[in-house]
């Protein structure tokens, strides 16, 4: 019984553990069990998007990947403009980011490498990039914003704003990414939006108030509500691509 084993060993060790591997042992009638410290949290993800009026393909792309046991990366990339070219650049950027993170590189190495690859092309391959990396063992998240709008952390009683900094990725051959580190707590919700949504709301404060007043605990519902409100604010006349992603953090 794996659950009983985890519970007993965790109690003896004094730290929460989970079974990582179960192998046949060289000793007959026994098995070799490998346990690892369990993450403190897990995450659930929701997203909602629509493309610019009259355009079938959005220039916004987003991603959620598991980097390692207990570590996740959420990214929102807004390619310059809308349509096929913007989507192609945005999709390329997200794919490169995913592959570098999966390979285990650190934030700064990843961003500098992807930036150089994008600037090698003679075309204008730049995109606003919004990344949040969650470490559910250390209870820390890293925010990296390159030309992206402000982001938000919805706590139980208040909503915190994560400010933006830096030029979009792919503009200059050399860059120095700014990383904002934040501790997270039970049931925090992180919200990232593309500039279409931020401009529809008109101000940081208006979007912050909308998020703060929301009573939903479901990140998908919150993302849908934000998108619906943004579309209402422009009376359905979406002059840019709209994308919102929301991530809820909960204790294990």
């Amino acid at each position: 019984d794996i659950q009983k084993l985890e519970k007993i060993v965790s109690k003896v060790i004094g730290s929460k553990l989970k079974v990582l591997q179960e192998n046949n042992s060289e000793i007959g009638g026994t098995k070799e069990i490998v346990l690892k410290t369990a993450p403190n949290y897990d995450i659930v993800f929701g997203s909602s998007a629509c493309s610019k009026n009259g355009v079938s393909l959005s220039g916004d792309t987003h991603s959620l990947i598991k980097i390692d046991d207990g570590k996740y990366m959420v990214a929102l990339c807004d390619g310059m403009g809308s349509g096929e070219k913007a989507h192609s650049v945005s999709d390329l950027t997200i794919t490169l980011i995913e592959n570098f993170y999966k390979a285990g590189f650190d934030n700064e190495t990843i961003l500098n490498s992807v930036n150089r690859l994008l600037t090698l092309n003679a075309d204008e391959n730049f995109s606003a990039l919004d990344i949040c990396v969650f470490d559910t063992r250390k209870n820390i998240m890293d925010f990296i914003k390159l030309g992206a709008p402000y982001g938000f952390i919805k706590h139980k009683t208040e909503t915190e704003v994560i400010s933006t900094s830096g030029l979009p990725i792919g503009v200059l051959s050399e860059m120095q990414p700014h990383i904002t580190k934040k501790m997270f707590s039970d049931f925090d919700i992180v919200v990232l939006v593309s500039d279409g949504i931020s401009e529809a709301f008109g101000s940081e404060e208006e979007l912050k108030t909308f998020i703060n007043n929301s009573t939903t605990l479901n990140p998908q519902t919150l993302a849908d509500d934000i998108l619906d409100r943004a579309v209402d604010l422009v009376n359905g006349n979406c002059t840019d691509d709209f994308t919102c992603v929301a991530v809820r953090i909960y204790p294990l």
Side-chain angles (χ1 to χ4, degrees), residues 115-227:
N115 184 68
R116 289 193 188 99
L117 288 170
L118 293 175
T119 54
L120 287 175
N121 197 310
D123 293 336
E124 292 181 321
N125 283 340
F126 57 85
S127 304
L129 187 61
D130 214 347
I131 296 175
C132 186
V133 178
F134 299 85
D135 189 328
T136 60
R137 295 180 186 280
K138 296 180 180 178
N139 307 351
I140 290 175
M141 46 193 171
D142 291 345
F143 287 90
I144 305 150
K145 290 182 171 291
L146 297 171
Y150 35 79
F152 303 89
I153 309 172
K154 180 177 170 59
H155 304 294
K156 287 181 180 178
T157 58
E158 62 177 353
T159 296
E160 183 179 358
V161 177
I162 305 299
S163 59
T164 185
S165 63
L167 293 170
I169 194 165
V171 174
L172 301 174
S173 58
E174 297 295 328
M175 61 174 294
Q176 186 64 43
H178 177 72
I179 300 170
T180 303
K181 289 187 176 290
K182 293 287 182 180
M183 297 291 294
F184 56 76
S185 52
D186 296 2
F187 307 113
D188 280 351
I189 301 179
V190 172
V191 177
L192 307 178
V193 298
S194 63
D195 59 3
I197 287 182
S198 65
E199 288 170 9
F201 273 87
S203 71
E204 166 193 316
E205 191 61 34
E206 193 171 341
L207 181 49
K208 175 185 172 182
T209 300
F210 183 85
I211 294 170
N212 198 56
N213 290 342
S214 174
T215 57
T216 184
L217 298 177
N218 187 324
Q220 183 59 59
T221 302
L222 179 57
D224 289 340
D225 289 346
I226 291 170
L227 177 69

Side-chain angles (χ1 to χ4, degrees), residues 44-88:
V44 285
F45 173 83
S47 65
S48 196
C50 68
S51 57
K52 177 181 175 180
N53 286 1
V55 177
S56 59
L57 203 57
S58 173
D60 295 349
T61 55
H62 60 275
S63 170
L64 167 65
I65 62 168
K66 187 173 185 178
I67 302 169
D68 197 358
D69 187 39
K71 204 166 185 180
Y72 302 87
M73 186 275 296
V74 177
L76 171 56
C77 186
D78 182 356
M80 182 184 66
S82 298
E84 188 174 342
K85 183 181 177 182
H87 177 81
S88 176

